[in-house]
Structures are given as C-alpha cells and as structure tokens.
Amino acid sequence: MSPVIENLDLYVDGFLTSLSIIVVAMIGSLLLGTLIAAFRVSPVPPLRAFGTFWVSTFRNTPLSVVLFFCAFGLPELGINRTFYFFGVLGLILYTSAFVCEAIRSGINSVSAGQAEAARSIGLNFSQSLRFVVLPQALRTVVPPLGSVIIAMFKNSAVVGAFGVGGDLWSTGQTLTSARGYETLPIFIGVAIGFLLITLPAGAVLQVIERKVAIAR
C-alpha cells in the first residue's frame, strides 16, 4: 500500500471532491425527487403525466447515458458549464427518479382519511401534502430512501469517468495511467475512500431508521 501512502495528499483531495459531489447530488435529488413525487400524486393530469414521464425516462436510462447527454449534449444546446456541474446534474436527474418512487410509496401508505381530514379543515392539495401527508410518509420511506442514497454514493464514481477531475476515481486513473503506479493498490485506496463515505452514512441511516420506528 506504499503507493497510497506516497500519494495520500491526492487521495485526501479526491475524497473531499467526491464528498462534495455526493452532498450536492444528495440534496438536489432529494428536493427534486420530492417535487416529482408530488407531481405523481397531483390531482392535475398534466403534472401526473409529467411525473410519470420523468420517472419512466430516468429509471429506464443507464446513468452513463444520462451523464453523456449532460456532458456532451447540453453544450450542443448552448449550455456551457464545467464537467463538475454536468456530472452533478446528471447524478441528480438520475437519482431523483428513484427518490420519487420511494417517496410516492410512502405517500400511498398514508391513509386516505388523513388527506380527507386535511381537506375538511380547508387545506388545499399542496398544503395537505406538505403539512399532513409528507411528514407521515417520510417516516415510512427511510429504509428504501436510504438504499437509494447509498446507491447514489457509489454511482458518484461513474461521474468521475466523465472528466470531472479531482475526485477519487479520477485520482486513481491519474496515478495508474499518468504516473505508472500498479492498478491494484491504487484502486484499493480508491475503494477505501468510498468506504469511508458509505459506511458512516449507512450507520447514520440505521440510527435514523430506529428513531423513526420508535416515533411511529
């Protein structure tokens, strides 16, 4: 493991860059996925149709294709940003579809009487969803939503293959291709970096799941 130790500063920089990708993509996909889930259960037919189209498109499209479109298709449409921006955007779009379905399953598990009670006291659809249905639904979707988020953490490695630069995956590629280090120890270091992200995240999610289960 001497190559890892010799290049520890690069691994630390790569770890921080990967962590920033993960945090931004997680927040973005949770917000966008929740919005699309609201569309999916909306009483407005065009919104439901859009939500269904979104989920069907991104759940059935490989992440690499989504990233390729963001990195090389959007510039053709006049949208010019950094590869970091395109990589994070692609990860958000892709993951939001899975977040949407996890949250929608939680919404469907809430008794219809809850929404009816909300309407009876004068709340409209968005208000009943925000104040009554979603708080209850989110408690039931912690396990599936956690699985989606952990999968997104690992999918962030794919983002590095699209020229983001500076992340853990790119660090491993640079050290093996440009500096001639052996592949096995270098990518063991990359794997350890991702484990330092996913294992604590999994432990935190388990704690949250237990607390939510007690609350229910």
Side-chain angles (χ1 to χ4, degrees):
M1 296 297 293
S2 59
V4 176
I5 297 174
E6 292 171 5
N7 297 280
L8 192 58
D9 57 333
L10 293 179
Y11 277 102
V12 171
D13 291 341
F15 176 86
L16 294 176
T17 301
S18 290
L19 189 60
S20 71
I21 292 172
I22 286 169
V23 170
V24 175
M26 178 179 66
I27 295 172
S29 60
L30 286 173
L31 293 175
L32 182 57
T34 302
L35 178 63
I36 300 300
F39 287 177
R40 291 274 277 157
V41 298
S42 170
V44 181
L47 291 181
R48 288 201 309 272
F50 177 81
T52 301
F53 169 78
W54 185 279
V55 171
S56 299
T57 299
F58 287 105
R59 285 189 73 186
N60 294 290
T61 303
L63 175 58
S64 57
V65 175
V66 176
L67 291 172
F68 185 90
F69 174 77
C70 290
F72 302 106
L74 292 181
E76 294 292 327
L77 300 176
I79 302 175
N80 296 301
R81 296 289 189 276
T82 63
F83 277 114
Y84 180 94
F85 174 88
F86 289 135
V88 172
L89 176 63
L91 195 56
I92 289 174
L93 296 178
Y94 179 81
T95 308
S96 67
F98 296 89
V99 170
C100 166
E101 289 302 274
I103 293 178
R104 187 173 71 94
S105 68
I107 292 174
N108 290 336
S109 71
V110 177
S111 170
Q114 297 287 324
E116 293 172 0
R119 286 195 295 271
S120 70
I121 61 173
L123 297 181
N124 58 31
F125 170 76
S126 61
Q127 290 172 328
S128 63
L129 186 66
R130 178 183 175 185
F131 297 115
V132 179
V133 178
L134 269 181
Q136 299 179 67
L138 291 176
R139 290 182 176 181
T140 67
V141 300
V142 171
L145 198 56
S147 298
V148 170
I149 296 302
I150 293 298
M152 187 212 69
F153 287 2
K154 293 181 286 187
N155 285 338
S156 67
V158 183
V159 175
F162 280 79
V164 169
D167 63 301
L168 278 170
W169 181 262
S170 299
T171 298
Q173 288 183 316
T174 299
L175 291 175
T176 53
S177 61
R179 301 196 181 184
Y181 286 100
E182 293 183 6
T183 302
L184 182 59
I186 290 299
F187 280 96
I188 287 177
V190 172
I192 291 172
F194 278 107
L195 286 174
L196 291 175
I197 297 174
T198 56
L199 291 180
V204 170
L205 287 169
Q206 287 181 350
V207 171
I208 295 174
E209 183 179 345
R210 286 197 296 269
K211 287 186 176 296
V212 169
I214 293 172
R216 288 205 302 271

